[in-house]
Structure formats: C-alpha cells, structure tokens
C-alpha cells in the first residue's frame, strides 16, 4: 500500500511539472474555475484556425438583464494565440455572467467599438464599425475581424473532464478580393487604365452581428500592379458580405463612358455554385469563404482600332467558377 501511494504521488507530480513546462491546453482545469474557449472553424476547410490567425480578443460580459458587467481582453505581442486557447472568467463575477459577446482582431487603425459602462450599458448598445473615412471610402488593408457570441441557449459543457470550459465559435467579418483583368488575345493591359470599387452597406455591426446602419461604404484597391503573367491585378479588402444587401462590383475604364463591369456579386455567387458547396446557403458560403479571386476576360470593342476603343467584358471567373457576362447593369 505504501509503495502504491508513492508511485501515485510521483505520477501526479510528473503531471503537474509537465503542465508548468508545456502548453497548458491539455492539463486539468481547476474545478472551481470557469473558462471560455475560442474556435474559428466556420470556414470552408472546416478546421479550427483560431490559433493560426488570431492575436487579440475582447470578451464583453453581460448579466441576465443584458447589462454590461466587464470586458476581458488578451493579446499576443508576436504571433497568434496557442492552440485550444482559453480565457478565465474572474471568480467575483462568474455567477453573474449570462451573455458573452466576443470580437477578435479589433485594431484601432481600422475599427471602432463602443465603450460600455459597467452597471449601465445594455448589450443592444454595443456596436463595432469601421473608423470614419473620407466619403466612407476604404482604400487600405483592413485588419481581419472575427465575431462570436455565447447565449444561454447555446451553452453546453465540453466534456466530463472539462465541464467548466465553454466554447465560443467565431465567424470572420472581413474579406480579401484579388481582381485580375486579362485580354482575350493575351495582349498586355495597364491596370492604371481602370478604376475598381466594391460598394456595400456593411460598415457597422450590432451585438448580434447585424448591420447597424444604412450607410454605403466604398472599398477601393490598396494595391494595383501589372503582372506580365496574370494581367492587370487589383487587391482590396471589405467587411462582411450579406445576402440581403447588394454587394456591387464596379470596374470602370477611365477613358470609357460606361462601366466595364457593374454587377451585384450576390447574383453571380448564386449562379456559380460548385456541387461541393451546393448544400450551403448563399450566406453561409459567403461567411465561410473569406478570400475571392475574380478573373475577368475582356476584349476590345473594335478590333480594327485596338489602341483607341473601349474594352468590353466577356466572362467572369470567381474562385474557379466561370460564366459569360450576359448583361452589364448601369
């Protein structure tokens, strides 16, 4: 019996030493503690990428009546959070927290969040939006942004060994677009002959991640270049795309009287639906996909004078889905 107790004690000591030296994610969680774990697997890879992409998080805590209690923040100076990252809920407020609202990736240069007052502010007052810009136009990189919430009806225990750990699943609220123009005859094209923009009412969000205003935002390229192999390339970032809002892509040849492209992206994303993602609604697809490559083939409107006339769009390819452009909307 004495030998058994000695061996057991050594085993417990070894476990505790390992937890001190190594990643804490697989170590026992104290029974009187409460943790929130974050995952970002709402993507087309269906893989948790939180620990690969996220470096800061803000967790807003509210009581049963939706009144603000406290905000918890954490940030990694270099790199991203470790795998299976958790944040501990302080003991003095643990029993009072009823609603959890999380934003990750908030950056002072790009976003603004309301500052709730403990004991006073209601969660319905919490909004996150793009910082004010001239003419509501963004032509810079937008820091990636994620949103997540844990409501009473969503709370469930993770497993028997960690029944004090609850999970918030995050959704990405930003997108990256890479737009490429190519001529049908493979002739060189100058990206500086064109203006690119994407227009959408999606610059601010409520505590439920709904759009909070009716203001139209214009997203323009932060990078334009001529690539000998690819063509005329423009890159821009946007906030979340919604299926009940018009997300209008406009490409204008500067010397032309009418746009080369003027379309609602939603219509094309509905039409260009791979069998692989046919089970997804349009909104779920747009939420899971955060990167769009748009390849547009153009031809000269008057081949006899190729140096002077306007280009016309022939077809559009979005993330490998191609269709001919039947109509340009003005």
């Amino acid at each position: 019996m004495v030998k058994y107790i000695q061996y057991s004690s050594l085993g417990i000591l070894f476990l505790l030493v390992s937890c001190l030296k190594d990643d804490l994610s697989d170590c026992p969680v104290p029974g009187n503690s409460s943790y929130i774990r974050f995952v970002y697997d709402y993507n087309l890879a269906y893989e948790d990428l939180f620990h690969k992409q996220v470096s800061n998080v803000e967790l807003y805590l509210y009581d049963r009546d939706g009144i603000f209690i406290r905000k918890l923040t954490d940030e990694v100076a270099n790199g991203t959070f470790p795998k299976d990252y958790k944040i501990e809920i302080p003991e003095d407020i643990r029993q009072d927290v009823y609603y959890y609202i999380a934003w990750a990736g908030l950056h002072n240069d790009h976003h603004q969040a309301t500052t709730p007052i403990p004991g006073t502010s209601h969660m319905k007052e919490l909004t996150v939006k793009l910082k004010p810009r001239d003419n509501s136009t963004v032509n810079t990189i937008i820091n990636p942004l994620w949103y997540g919430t844990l409501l009473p009806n969503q709370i469930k225990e993770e497993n028997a060994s960690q029944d004090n750990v609850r999970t918030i699943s995050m959704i990405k609220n930003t997108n990256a677009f890479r737009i490429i123009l190519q001529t049908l005859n493979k002739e060189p094209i100058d990206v500086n002959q064109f203006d690119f923009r994407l227009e959408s009412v999606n610059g601010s969000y409520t505590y439920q991640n709904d759009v909070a205003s009716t203001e139209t935002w214009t997203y323009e390229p932060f990078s334009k270049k001529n690539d000998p192999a690819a063509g005329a390339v423009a890159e821009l970032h946007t906030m979340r795309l919604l299926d009940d809002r018009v997300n209008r892509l406009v490409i204008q040849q500067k010397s032309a009287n009418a746009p080369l492209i003027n379309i609602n992206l939603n219509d094309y994303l509905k039409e260009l639906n791979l069998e692989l993602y046919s089970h997804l609604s349009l909104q779920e697809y747009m939420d899971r996909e955060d990167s769009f490559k748009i390849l547009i083939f153009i031809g000269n409107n008057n081949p006899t004078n190729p140096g002077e006339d306007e280009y016309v769009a022939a077809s559009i390819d979005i993330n490998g889905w191609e269709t001919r452009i039947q109509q340009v909307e003005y």
Side-chain angles (χ1 to χ4, degrees):
M1 173 65 90
V2 172
K3 288 183 179 180
Y4 175 78
I5 294 174
Q6 290 175 338
Y7 291 142
S8 299
S9 300
L10 287 174
I12 294 172
L13 178 61
F14 176 76
L15 175 61
L16 293 176
V17 171
S18 298
C19 290
L20 289 174
K21 290 183 177 180
D22 301 324
D23 181 8
L24 301 178
S25 59
D26 295 326
C27 296
V29 178
N32 61 349
S33 300
S34 177
Y35 290 83
I36 293 295
R37 171 176 170 261
F38 300 89
V39 299
Y40 167 50
D41 56 7
Y42 201 68
N43 50 63
L44 289 180
Y46 293 85
E47 174 188 353
D48 181 16
L49 301 177
F50 188 87
H51 65 286
K52 295 182 179 181
Q53 298 187 7
V54 183
S55 60
N56 72 66
V57 65
E58 297 188 1
L59 181 61
Y60 297 80
L61 307 176
Y62 294 84
D63 66 15
R64 181 181 294 270
D65 297 320
I67 302 302
F68 180 65
I69 301 174
R70 190 177 302 174
K71 180 177 74 170
L72 306 180
T73 63
D74 199 4
E75 184 173 5
V76 178
N78 297 301
T80 55
F81 287 117
K83 189 173 183 179
D84 201 32
Y85 166 77
K86 307 175 188 69
I87 192 169
E88 185 175 8
I89 306 302
E91 184 177 0
D92 63 314
I93 61 171
R94 192 173 301 150
Q95 300 302 318
D96 300 323
V97 181
Y98 206 70
Y99 299 96
Y100 305 78
I101 300 173
W103 287 96
L106 283 172
H107 195 289
N108 290 335
D109 290 342
H110 306 137
H111 316 111
Q112 273 186 345
T114 52
T115 303
I117 302 172
T120 301
S121 300
H122 195 275
M123 62 183 182
K124 292 181 179 180
E125 301 171 27
L126 179 64
T127 60
V128 168
K129 61 182 179 180
L130 285 169
K131 290 194 71 173
R133 313 284 182 105
D134 291 341
N135 301 317
S136 299
T137 298
V138 180
N139 55 12
T140 62
I141 291 173
I142 301 177
N143 205 59
L145 185 66
W146 292 264
Y147 162 87
T149 186
L150 187 60
L151 304 179
N153 62 348
Q154 297 173 313
I155 294 177
K156 59 182 179 180
E157 308 303 346
E158 291 299 295
N159 52 55
S161 63
Q162 293 191 2
D163 59 3
N164 49 358
V165 178
R166 294 165 177 169
T167 299
I168 291 181
S169 181
M170 307 296 284
I171 181 174
K172 201 165 189 178
N173 262 44
T174 49
N175 298 284
F177 282 83
R178 180 178 173 88
I179 303 170
I180 302 173
L181 298 181
Q182 287 185 359
T183 56
L184 292 172
N185 56 8
K186 302 298 182 181
E187 288 184 355
I189 186 172
D190 185 4
V191 70
N192 295 306
Q193 294 179 347
F194 301 88
D195 290 324
F196 303 80
R197 68 180 185 272
L198 196 152
E199 301 170 346
S200 185
V201 179
N202 66 347
S204 60
Y205 299 88
T206 69
Y207 75 105
Q208 294 178 313
N209 208 23
D210 296 325
V211 173
S213 74
T214 58
E215 181 181 16
T216 298
W217 281 78
T218 300
Y219 302 95
E220 296 180 344
F222 59 83
S223 173
K224 292 170 67 174
K225 64 180 180 180
N226 293 311
D227 187 317
V233 182
E235 296 185 59
L236 57 87
H237 286 171
T238 75
M239 297 294 284
R240 184 186 180 203
L241 302 182
L242 298 171
D243 62 1
D244 62 349
R245 309 286 168 136
V246 173
N247 302 299
R248 186 165 298 282
L249 175 64
V250 181
I251 302 176
Q252 174 88 40
Q253 187 179 353
K254 294 179 179 179
S255 61
N257 296 321
L260 174 70
I261 290 286
N262 187 351
I263 60 173
N264 181 6
L265 274 179
N266 295 15
D267 296 335
Y268 281 79
L269 291 175
K270 286 179 183 177
E271 180 181 349
L272 303 172
N273 189 17
L274 285 176
E275 181 63 28
L276 182 62
Y277 306 127
S278 61
H279 62 289
L280 302 180
S281 67
L282 176 60
Q283 186 60 62
E284 182 173 351
Y285 171 73
M286 290 194 295
D287 284 338
R288 287 185 177 272
E289 179 63 271
D290 68 339
S291 180
F292 295 88
K293 179 181 177 182
I294 300 179
L295 175 60
I296 300 171
F297 292 97
I298 60 176
N300 200 282
N301 199 30
N302 187 352
T304 59
N305 290 308
E308 299 179 1
D309 293 79
E310 301 175 4
Y311 288 103
V312 292
S315 66
I316 183 170
D317 180 305
I318 304 177
N319 288 0
W321 314 346
E322 183 177 1
T323 185
R324 296 189 65 82
I325 296 178
Q326 302 296 331
Q327 181 180 357
V328 176
E329 305 171 15
Y330 297 110

